[in-house]
Amino acid sequence: MPDAETLKDNLPQRIVMIGDMGTTNTQALPPVTELVLNQEVDLIVHAGDFAYDMYELNGTRGDEFMNDIQAAAANTPYMVCLGNHEVHYNFSHYSQRFRGQPSNTGTVWTSSGETPNNW
C-alpha cells in the first residue's frame, strides 16, 4: 500500500466496494477474489451486512462467511463498515471477527486516510 510519499506514483487506486453479502448466492465474491489474486485491486471496502447474519447457528454462519472471504481478505486490505445486521449481541460477532481493523476511537468506528479518500 502506498504511503503519502509514493501515492502519486500509484494512482489511480483500484477500490472494490461490496456490501450486503451473505453465505449463499455470493455472486460478487468469485470475481472480486479473482481480481485480488491477479493483483488488480488495491483495497476492498465492505459496507456492512456480513453473512446474513454472523450470529446465526451459534456463530457458525459468521465462521462460514469468514472462510468464504479469506482468499480476498488475506491478500489485499479489507476495510469493513457496520451494517444494521451486525447489531445482534451488541455487535460482538462483528467486533470479534474484525478485531484487526484500525480504530482511532476505541470503538467500532474508525477513520483511515490510506488512499486519496478518507475512510
Side-chain angles (χ1 to χ4, degrees):
M1 183 60 89
D3 60 25
E5 297 293 318
T6 62
L7 181 60
K8 64 183 178 301
D9 299 325
N10 291 281
L11 293 174
Q13 292 288 287
R14 301 160 301 174
I15 300 170
V16 171
M17 296 195 72
I18 56 176
D20 296 290
M21 187 164 34
T23 57
T24 58
N25 197 24
T26 55
Q27 296 175 3
L29 191 55
V32 168
T33 301
E34 184 177 342
L35 288 169
V36 168
L37 296 178
N38 290 333
Q39 299 181 343
E40 298 177 52
V41 173
D42 298 307
L43 172 69
I44 296 173
V45 177
H46 191 142
D49 295 346
F50 305 89
Y52 284 114
D53 286 310
M54 287 186 164
Y55 77 96
E56 289 181 346
L57 303 173
N58 200 28
T60 58
R61 175 91 44 169
D63 295 342
E64 180 183 350
F65 177 80
M66 296 302 283
N67 287 332
D68 289 348
I69 67 166
Q70 184 174 357
N75 288 290
T76 198
Y78 195 98
M79 294 297 296
V80 296
C81 311
L82 288 167
N84 63 308
H85 286 264
E86 283 69 67
V87 70
H88 304 285
Y89 300 101
N90 195 29
F91 302 100
S92 64
H93 285 271
Y94 169 87
S95 62
Q96 294 302 309
R97 284 184 171 86
F98 293 108
R99 178 176 269 222
Q101 291 291 299
S103 173
N104 57 4
T105 63
T107 68
V108 294
W109 312 107
T110 189
S111 175
S112 174
E114 294 291 325
T115 67
N117 302 299
N118 190 24
W119 303 100

